[in-house]
Amino acid sequence: QVQLVESGGGLVQAGGSLRLSCAASGRTFSSYAMGWFRQAPGKEREFVAAISWSGGSTYYADSVKGRFTISRDNAKNTVYLQMNSLKPEDTAVYYCARGQTIVVVTTTPEADWGKGTLVTVSS
């Protein structure tokens, strides 16, 4: 069972920054690509960013490219999402997920889609 715990969300003004963290349980974290997704009120969940198991490859949604940076620390079983130049349309609950590869995590992510972490960007 996937156990991923997101944190770091909060309220920020437009133009501000936040860094999200996702802590994974288990000893297989470094074997998986990881990704971030978000779901805004009344909208479907959407892909945000993904990173390969080694951290050597990353992939972003066009809407966040140049503003968000995904990274990981395999020694800490943690993946991060640095969010800069935040916009009101970035307001959403953010979730992390895993997959065997970047392609898999973007198309068929594994996650419990539980609590997530709420990011609210005020205008």
Side-chain angles (χ1 to χ4, degrees), residues 32-35 49-53 55-59 70-72 79 102:
Y32 288 90
M34 299 295 296
I51 188 167
S52 62
W53 67 270
S57 298
T58 56
Y59 179 61
I70 188 170
S71 62
R72 66 188 297 161
V79 60
I102 283 184

Side-chain angles (χ1 to χ4, degrees), residues 87-106:
K87 304 176 181 179
E89 52 263 44
D90 294 318
T91 295
V93 177
Y94 284 71
Y95 304 90
C96 64
R98 71 179 191 184
Q100 293 294 332
T101 65
I102 283 184
V103 171
V104 173
V105 78
T106 58

